[in-house]
Amino acid sequence: MPIPSRPALVDHLVRTRIAGDVATPRENNLSHYRKLANGDRHYWLGLELGDRWSDEQDVLAVMAERCGVIDDPQHRQGQDTIDPELTVDALERMAGRLRKAADAKERVLFATGHPGGLLDVHRATAAALRAAGCEIVVIPEGLTADEGFVFQFADVAVLERGATLWHTHSPEPMNAILDGLLREERPLPDLVVADHGWAGRAGQRGIDAVGYADCNDPALFIAEAEGTVQVTVPLDDHVTSPRFYDPLTAYLLGAAGLTDG
């Protein structure tokens, strides 16, 4: 796919509702912010937030700054937003970290808790880094977590249950991979590219991590604000067609210097 210009990508993000007026309603966003602030670990995405984010309004402020949701605590329902300019800014920051990985021929692990939307974004990025000389980490065999199996599909670690790739926010699959590598006395990744609890737990365990997050998943944005995760790209992580992410992937890889386009 040709690499879009920045204005063309912004237009595409808004048109496909990856950003702009997104499908996730305001009431869902605020509910998740409140649950994170109340200490519900399902919404911490593998991070250890302590009592630093116990005020829902502080969470909203971070999300307005880093994701572009509406910065008005009185706006309680209806439409919410992701700022497409912030999406592209974050893609460019992620591209810088991918370029560093390529230059140093780093070991990189890819994982997703949103295979229905982001699997091919991760797959294409893994292929580009392999072509640049990086080692794409092969996870140990026989890993389990959350009553499922952790394995790789197209170079991307996923959770499988009942012959189905599973949508999960859990950090336990990432724990299984990292603990499995340590048991086999293999080096941990230099970089993890992921989303949900896969990215959060990698960052919490001290590994460089970059990832993607929706406007109702505030933990990774907080982690970037605190420096636990290096980059969090705001986007709707499951729009109506996974092909809508192709221009975003092309822009990312182009900005990282990982394509011939």
Side-chain angles (χ1 to χ4, degrees), residues 58-232:
D58 290 341
V59 179
L60 175 60
V62 168
M63 294 303 292
E65 176 187 15
R66 292 180 177 268
C67 184
V69 301
I70 295 170
D71 188 15
D72 177 4
Q74 301 309 310
H75 179 56
R76 308 301 298 177
Q77 60 184 4
Q79 185 65 57
D80 213 340
T81 57
I82 293 174
D83 185 340
E85 298 288 348
L86 293 179
T87 302
V88 182
D89 287 345
L91 286 171
E92 292 174 354
R93 294 197 304 276
M94 182 183 282
R97 184 62 186 86
L98 296 179
R99 183 69 254 167
K100 178 182 175 183
D103 289 343
K105 305 295 189 286
E106 289 184 340
R107 296 180 305 277
V108 187
L109 172 66
F110 288 83
T112 186
H114 235 303
L118 299 179
L119 179 63
D120 206 45
V121 177
H122 291 303
R123 179 209 57 77
T125 309
L129 283 178
R130 175 181 280 111
C134 288
E135 175 190 342
I136 305 305
V137 174
V138 175
I139 70 172
E141 293 288 335
L143 299 179
T144 61
D146 299 328
E147 300 180 348
F149 296 96
V150 183
F151 69 96
Q152 273 171 310
F153 181 77
D155 284 331
V156 185
V158 291
L159 181 67
E160 183 267 344
R161 292 185 196 164
T164 300
L165 304 187
W166 207 254
H167 171 223
T168 178
H169 287 217
S170 173
E172 293 309 317
M174 181 56 71
N175 276 335
I177 293 172
L178 300 180
D179 292 344
L181 291 170
L182 291 173
R183 280 195 305 272
E184 293 184 358
E185 299 184 344
R186 293 168 54 195
L188 294 179
D190 299 305
L191 174 66
V192 167
V193 183
D195 47 69
H196 287 179
W198 304 82
R201 181 49 54 90
Q204 187 64 48
R205 290 184 60 159
I207 298 169
D208 282 6
V210 298
Y212 303 91
D214 209 330
C215 56
N216 63 354
D217 289 329
L220 293 189
F221 296 98
I222 287 172
E224 184 181 14
E226 292 192 330
T228 311
V229 167
Q230 294 194 339
V231 181
T232 300

